Amino acid sequence: MRAVIAEDSLLLRIGVVKVLEMAGFEVAAQVGDAQALLAAVEEHRPHIAVVDVRMPPGFTDEGVRAALVIRRQWPDTAVLLLSQYVEERYAVDLLADSSAGVGYLLKQRVADVEEFAEAVRRVAKGGTALDPQVISQLLVRRRSDPLDRLTAREREVLELMAGGRSNAGIAAQLVVSESAVAKHINSILAKLDLPKADADHRRVLAVLHFLGVV
């Protein structure tokens, strides 16, 4: 898989590059600002862009805005945002159109080499990876809505779904069978009033509802 890295901190950029190369990625370009990122994506058309939220010149939301451009102009390129702090509005902005091929992680996750590489790989393949702290903040922000109908275990399952886990991954995390996970998911979809429809992916809609995007 081909990747482009955008991070203004040279040390972190080198670290991310090394982790991805060790995981079998081809790093086509590594840049330090949003303008160079867009040029690199246009040139290399990578499977994924790993992007710092705050970059020169303003160090505000340059990375997020560049990520949104990438999602519009090169939809085949997945985007994984890296942030120093939890800023949930950026996750919601990025997920507004679709949760496929989207990730949002804290920079500290890079230190867990295997888990970080797996998250990048999952997003590059069209999945989702959301930092547990982002998910926790979104849970705290929730009040009266259909999510309140869920049991504690169903909320655990939905939280892991939002983090990009497959049924097998959820089963391993919760130490239950995959059939039990499937039953929980069916219950979640029913409680969130998400009937079967050929045009909709109910699992994605459940996650988007959880994140407050729909």
Side-chain angles (χ1 to χ4, degrees):
M1 288 186 178
R2 194 163 55 256
V4 166
I5 313 300
E7 166 61 58
D8 66 282
S9 168
L10 179 59
L11 287 178
L12 183 57
R13 186 164 74 235
I14 291 173
V16 172
V17 169
K18 293 297 183 184
V19 168
L20 295 189
E21 287 180 340
M22 289 171 57
F25 283 83
E26 172 197 347
V27 179
Q30 45 178 303
V31 301
D33 62 72
Q35 186 174 355
L37 166 64
L38 295 177
V41 171
E42 182 175 23
E43 178 181 356
H44 299 288
R45 303 299 170 90
H47 296 93
I48 187 167
V50 180
V51 183
D52 184 11
V53 165
R54 300 172 182 269
M55 289 191 291
F59 293 98
T60 54
D61 62 350
E62 289 82 2
V64 179
R65 287 189 279 113
L68 293 173
V69 171
I70 292 170
R71 297 287 286 170
R72 288 195 303 270
Q73 295 191 10
W74 302 286
D76 291 335
T77 295
V79 175
L80 174 62
L81 288 177
L82 293 179
S83 180
Q84 190 71 37
Y85 310 102
V86 176
E87 298 174 280
E88 64 187 56
R89 68 184 185 280
Y90 293 151
V92 172
D93 285 346
L94 197 61
L95 287 160
D97 293 328
S98 170
S99 65
V102 171
Y104 185 104
L105 297 176
L106 293 182
K107 292 183 178 181
Q108 67 195 51
R109 307 300 174 192
V110 178
D112 190 332
V113 173
E114 292 185 6
E115 185 172 335
F116 177 70
E118 175 55 32
V120 176
R121 190 177 293 110
R122 184 165 68 244
V123 173
K125 290 180 179 179
T128 305
L130 295 179
D131 196 280
Q133 290 192 34
V134 175
I135 294 172
S136 295
Q137 284 203 188
L138 290 167
L139 272 175
V140 169
R141 188 164 52 87
R142 294 280 167 224
R143 288 298 180 264
S144 179
D145 65 19
L147 291 171
D148 294 335
R149 305 170 189 168
L150 304 184
T151 65
R153 177 46 62 94
E154 288 167 351
R155 292 179 75 88
E156 284 184 292
V157 171
L158 183 53
E159 181 176 342
L160 291 169
M161 286 169 59
R165 302 291 180 126
S166 64
N167 283 18
I170 295 171
Q173 180 75 24
L174 299 180
V175 195
V176 298
S177 67
E178 287 189 50
S179 62
V181 171
K183 289 179 182 178
H184 285 310
I185 291 175
N186 286 335
S187 178
I188 290 167
L189 298 177
K191 289 180 179 180
L192 295 183
D193 300 320
L194 295 173
K196 291 183 179 179
D198 293 338
D200 297 323
H201 193 310
R202 295 194 299 161
R203 188 185 182 103
V204 172
L205 289 175
V207 170
L208 292 176
H209 191 107
F210 168 73
L211 295 172
V213 177
V214 297

